[in-house]
Amino acid sequence: MALKIVKGSIDRMFDKNLQDLVRGIRNHKEDEAKYISTCIDEIKQELKQDNIAVKANAVCKLTYLQMLGYDVSWAAFNIVEVMSSSKFTYKRIGYLAASQCFHESTDVIMLTTNQIRKDLSSPNQYDTGVALTGLSCFVTPDLARDLANDIMTLMSHTKPYIRKKAVLIMYKVFLKYPESLRPAFPRLKEKLEDPDPGVQSAAVNVICELARRNPKNYLSLAPLFFKLMTSSTNNWVLIKIIKLFGALTPLEPRLGKKLIEPLTNLIHSTSAMSLLYECVNTVIAVLISLSSGMPNHSASIQLCVQKLRILIEDSDQNLKYLGLLAMSKILKTHPKSVQSHKDLILQCLDDKDESIRLRALDLLYGMVSKKNLMEIVKKLMLHVDKAEGTTYRDELLTKIIDICSQSNYQYITNFEWYISILVELTRLEGTRHGHLIASQMLDVAIRVKAIRAFAVAQMATLLDNAHLLTGNMQRNGICEVLYAAAWICGEFSEHLENPMQTLEAMLRPKVATLPGHIQAVYVQNAAKLFATVLKSQEGNTDSTAAQETSQLMIDRLPLFVQSANLEVQERASCILQLVKYIQKLQQKDVEIAEEVNALFAGELNPVAPKAQKKVPVPEGLDLDAWINEPPSESESEDEQPKAIFAKEEPKHSRPRHTEVDEKELARRREARKQEQANNPFYIKASPSSQKVYQDTPGVEHIPVVQIDLSVPLKVPGLPMSDQYVKLEEERRQKERAEKKKKEKKKRKEKRSGRGKKHDSGPESEEDITPAHQVDIVTEEMPENALPSDDDDKDPNDPHKALDIDLDKPLADSEKLPVRSHRETPKSPAEDGDTENAALQEPKKKSTKEKREKKKDKDRDRKKSKEEKKKKKHKHEEKEEDLLGGQADAPVVQSEETSEVVAPPTSTNPEVSDLDFWLSNAPVPSNTQEATTVAEAEAAPPPEAASGTAPDSEPDQPQDADTEEAKSSKHKKKKQKKEKEEKEKKKKKKHHHHHHHSDGGGEESVQNGTVEEEEPLPPMSNYCLLAENSYIKMVYDIQGNLQDGSQVVVSVIFENKGDSFLKSMEFNVLDSLNSKLQRPDGSGPHDGLTVPFQLPPGVSNEARFVFTVQSIIMPQKLKGTLTFIVKNEDSSTHEKLDFKLHFTCTSYLITTPCYSDAFAKLLESGDLKGSSVRLEGVNMPFHHLLARICFHHHFSVVERIDSCASMYSRSIQGHHVCLLVKTSGQTVSIDAKCDEPTLLGNVLDEIKQTFSQC
Amino acid sequence: MIKAILIFNNHGKPRLIRFYQYFAEDMQQQIIRETFHLVSKRDDNVCNFLEGGSLIGGSDYKLIYRHYATLYFVFCVDSSESELGILDLIQVTFSLLQVFVETLDKCFENVCELDLIFHMDKVHYILQEVVMGGMVLETNMNEIVAQVEVQKPHGEGGLSAAPARAVSAVKNMNLPEIPRNINIGDINIKVPSLSPF
């Protein structure tokens, strides 16, 4: 055997490790793929071996290969194996590999649940840590649901290292399992004030991340964050908080007012650029949210802009970049303050860094005005010429178009100039944005009527010079422009000076090399042109010209008829036949121009891009309903064609719809006519509208003629936009002079002229009148379009599910699925005894089903949903059950009573708190004080009523609750704080319930007996440890599953007084047998710091691990809790002595057992017997069993009438079997165990339990 | 949230990749290639931010990178992270990248590309102490180094590791070809049965 190990390790030495693999890959540069494939073969061999070290090594290598892009998902199961290794070094390798390559659809993930749970509760903090880290990368909804409670428990772990990881991972859990947010939130909030800065920062991190997506739910935390902001020194935390405030301010302007001062202070004081930058950002957000009413409003904005200017002027490119970025935010609301830095921004356009240039471009967008648009675009055009690299040039191009077309061409005063800019842009080689330019051309030509003549002339030139554009059109998308050009020339052909020439240009053979869709437009518009030409030629006496034109068409069109593109072919052959027919008529001297023109009569109006989407679905139309019965799946393939055939005649449903539609249509037509009549922007189809337009005042000074004369359009080169700039300047000068002359008159005129006809910029734009009285046609929308802004919201956003109201008190049904840590893990790997685990499976199922039937009524629907979900995932679940539900019932009642009282105190106060905080005193400390007083007056003693309800309950821990409530009576002084704590307390209570339900619940799953019997009273294992006037401690002891020599003591500390308790230290005097586990490096007598502080009235739970050697005898350990009591004026050291009682029961672990295994155990004869009789037990048998189960960690193996066999196992593997019989008031218990002393003690304890009731 | 952390060298060879959102392997490689393409053509004296939106998705995302000697460190983050916080700047007393790189430096004693090449796993472990699941876990360098040190395998100096070290020393001699085909596994050592004294 030993030899085998030696042999194995020698073998292993020559296995490649990661370093060898890397070295090997580096040495095989030429045939890397081949080398790696041999390595993968080796790895596959290694994975087949039993030695976990070999496997871990192989997995480690796989992780490296994964980085190189190899799919290693085939090894997922081996990764899980390595993850479950008991050795930390291997476990870590496994988790690393898993975090790199597992994802939601990795199926082995579901095998890991128990392994992860085990690691999470491991006494070694690094096991826990590595599991948390791994889990954060591959958490799935199932894992999140099953582990949420475990992770939540870890949030109060003694080690800050674990706490911070647990806090962080909660965010991932929330994302995957949104139901967990509300139950976990109070504790998360608590962590904001954790003594450890790392934990605090993690909590801030998570809450900020949550709040960023759904800020309104976190508004009530603002006071807390404000406090943190004014007290924290950690820049990282500060930045996060300030960013969070940036997200909150838009919702609550008053918050902004409160923030301005501390933020400006920070801006002045901090030396950290990152902090300064974030402050500026948030101040900007604040200023945006404040519409007005801030006296020093402009001062703050000035400060921000100044600081940003400093950033932009900095030599550091990063600062420059961020400065520009922040500037663009100010731009939206305060364009004036930014515009004064135009010089700086234009300068940035020349920066060598592309990122910076892009940011500067963004800014330009907001900086243009009617006055400077031409100048800025001119500058950009220069950049376009200079720009190297097509991406930047394309970006420039889109920016130019964006700038010019923004808000309905608001800043364009001269559309001729704009058209010429567009034409100039077509000269760009290799741009991808031909399409964009084309759509702009179309848009302008269609919507700005006055420009059509000019546009058509320009387009004709373009068409004429098409060869310049299409030089190497395969590469560039600029030929798209020809699409626009052809369409414009065709549609508005009446403006063409020389239509014949254009027609010829459009029918050139070279056109056939253009993309199909452009050719199609060419053909169609050639026909339109043809109609126009015909019209002009028919007026002449000589009819030969017209016939020649027809002949030209007939000659050229066949080229398109042969096109490979169907669209082109179809259109061409249609038109060819038409022209042939026309020719025939022409030869008979028939006048046909009118009729041909009628083919293309009518105006096309622009339609808004979203118009289709906005059409409301007519009443009675269900788009999801089947028109026909869906084909049944059972149909064989032979029948399939039939079904398809039948589908083509959906007669029965159609008519009805059309009927509806017709009515609807008629109604809509009416409405539309009405609206059009009232809409000044709507251009009526009748030519009269044109006339009306011509008559409007202010038109007479349009210098159209002047432009036409001065621009040398006939020059074959393309027009220069610069000339228009010059012209525009002149025009403006002239205008100004004119204006001076007859100022009064003009103003009047203008006002009346402007009001209706064009949408101009604000009056403040130093009154530049556009060169054209521009008639910008608004896009058409369906008349009853739904005004919806949610067009761009992503329905799949995972954060949507997290939009949960957190201020509402927790309902009883909102619990995380609990799985108590007393259970045996099912993970087989190295637990030692797997048989028990294996036994659990089937049993669970049956009880589960029973439970399903017997669901309590008072659980709400959500709960039942949850339960169903659980049912689906039976393979992992086994917690609550009907007994749990029953045990809950009375508690629920008391909870409800308290909640009836609670709402005014627990929901409203949160809000009113915030209101108060926001509306009052500017200095934070003052606020706090003030609020405290106000609250004391306003709020009734909140919990008084709740104290009465649970009084009747017999169990002690229930009393703890009561007392908790009672104690709150005499602390009205600190109402405000208390209220903040309210949530926590609520949660605390739930925590108790957890214990009730999971404790009681778990047993009865195994019982499976109690369906029809009356409910059990609530039970708890927590018993009093010690108490004085300041603090009360209750505790419970559970065996540790993983380690036979460990028990976990959970202590709930409750602050009974009205002072703040801090620096609590928990210490016990170790005995030889039992020792408190202390962190490495501390001495045997050092105390453990309790990882939290207790504000008045609050309780919290801490867990301590003890090592025990012998478990057969009960033990008592003396201990002391020291703590500091802090009042407003003083603080005193206090201590409280206690005795920890380790009963033998606490070493038992509830372990289910099958009856046959149980019988075998009894037959084996290893067990020694003992028995005990209990007299005067006055309770139903199932209560008795439940009590034994609950208090003494047994499970029922079998129950027949008034006789039951029960089983439990100690942490060190002793079997304890009971046979419980009852007759009348006498209960006899026969017991067997392999350790008689232990058994005797357990029986004594059972006896004691029953003597107490 | 941090969406991805990539480290690659001047030739675009990945040295560490850490995605906090799932991408299939080929997609990961493509992202690395594209990111390298974007980053490598930038001068050293330009700013360290890049809008890499199309790569990983959404205009909310930014690439923040730094070029150290032969390595590029690239973080892909969304708008909830502070740009300057992620990046290191002279005025800033802390920053994530700085923390990460300095921690590497401390843990490897003058880190260089070779360290990253041969100890990818260790780099991952260090990174895990800085960033967890896409969120910043710790920015205090001393704390990080301490945690990394504690978690170092304990057995490294122990007896059991001695033969392994010997072997790796042999491997490091760079012999032309280590006789891999000697099958030590089949040697049958016959232990003479000694009579008990």
Side-chain angles (χ1 to χ4, degrees), chain A residues 46-182:
Chain A
E46 287 167 26
L47 286 176
K48 278 183 193 145
Q49 293 189 35
D50 291 334
N51 192 330
I52 193 73
V54 176
K55 271 186 192 167
N57 183 37
V59 166
C60 186
K61 287 190 279 185
L62 281 180
T63 314
Y64 184 83
L65 294 179
Q66 195 269 348
M67 178 178 81
L68 299 183
Y70 290 84
D71 178 20
V72 299
S73 56
W74 50 270
F77 187 76
N78 303 103
I79 292 174
V80 174
E81 282 181 309
V82 176
M83 272 162 77
S84 55
S85 158
S86 58
K87 213 173 155 196
F88 174 71
T89 10
Y90 301 149
K91 188 186 286 297
R92 183 158 77 158
I93 290 172
Y95 272 103
L96 174 63
S99 69
Q100 288 289 70
C101 64
F102 281 12
H103 52 95
E104 280 202 9
S105 49
T106 306
D107 44 5
V108 292
I109 278 195
M110 66 182 192
L111 301 178
T112 60
T113 316
N114 283 295
Q115 178 56 42
I116 295 172
R117 176 176 286 133
K118 201 176 124 192
D119 288 334
L120 289 183
S121 55
S122 161
N124 179 352
Q125 61 162 326
Y126 294 109
D127 282 354
T128 314
V130 88
L132 284 172
T133 308
L135 187 62
S136 71
C137 294
F138 57 79
V139 60
T140 63
D142 283 353
L143 281 178
R145 190 195 56 241
D146 296 338
L147 297 174
N149 196 56
D150 302 66
I151 298 170
M152 199 163 107
T153 320
L154 289 178
M155 279 165 76
S156 317
H157 198 272
T158 45
K159 298 277 193 325
Y161 178 73
I162 297 302
R163 285 210 301 281
K164 72 183 176 197
K165 286 196 168 190
V167 168
L168 265 194
I169 202 179
M170 275 321 274
Y171 178 64
K172 295 274 174 159
V173 173
F174 295 152
L175 278 184
K176 300 286 178 186
Y177 179 55
E179 286 90 337
S180 62
L181 177 57
R182 276 173 47 76

Side-chain angles (χ1 to χ4, degrees), chain A residues 10 166 307 330 433-434 449 461 470 616 707 846 858 902 917 926 935 949 953 978 1071 1125 1152 1182 1194:
Chain A
I10 289 174
K307 288 281 175 186
I330 300 187
H433 292 299
K449 287 194 165 185
T461 328
T470 53
I707 286 171
S846 62
D858 54 355
W917 179 78
N926 288 358
E935 287 294 334
E953 252 122 47
E978 183 189 81
S1071 71
V1125 181
H1182 78 276
F1194 276 87

Side-chain angles (χ1 to χ4, degrees), chain A residues 13-14 19-20 67 69 99-100 103 126 161 164 172 205 212 235-236 243 318 321 353 355 359, chain B residues 17-18 22 29 46-49 51 78-80 94 118 129 133 136 138 147 151 167 171 180:
Chain A
M13 273 186 240
F14 283 92
Q19 281 77 26
D20 300 325
M67 178 178 81
S99 69
Q100 288 289 70
H103 52 95
Y126 294 109
Y161 178 73
K164 72 183 176 197
K172 295 274 174 159
N205 215 335
R212 204 164 67 92
N235 275 352
W236 189 267
K243 265 184 173 284
N318 293 318
Y321 172 87
D353 188 345
S355 294
R359 286 277 75 82
Chain B
I17 55 173
R18 171 78 273 187
Y22 174 70
Q29 293 302 314
V46 299
C47 79
N48 299 107
F49 309 112
E51 267 114 302
D78 70 8
S79 61
S80 75
F94 72 94
F118 285 105
E129 297 301 326
V136 179
E138 182 63 68
Q147 294 296 355
Q151 293 181 55
V167 170
K171 285 175 185 170
R180 284 280 306 165

Side-chain angles (χ1 to χ4, degrees), chain A residues 1025-1028 1033 1067 1117-1123 1134-1140:
Chain A
L1025 183 57
E1027 76 179 305
N1028 62 13
M1033 297 190 280
N1067 200 2
L1117 285 186
K1118 276 189 196 166
T1120 324
L1121 181 81
T1122 56
F1123 52 94
E1134 294 288 340
K1135 71 172 200 170
L1136 176 61
D1137 292 328
F1138 56 81
K1139 264 187 190 164
L1140 262 178

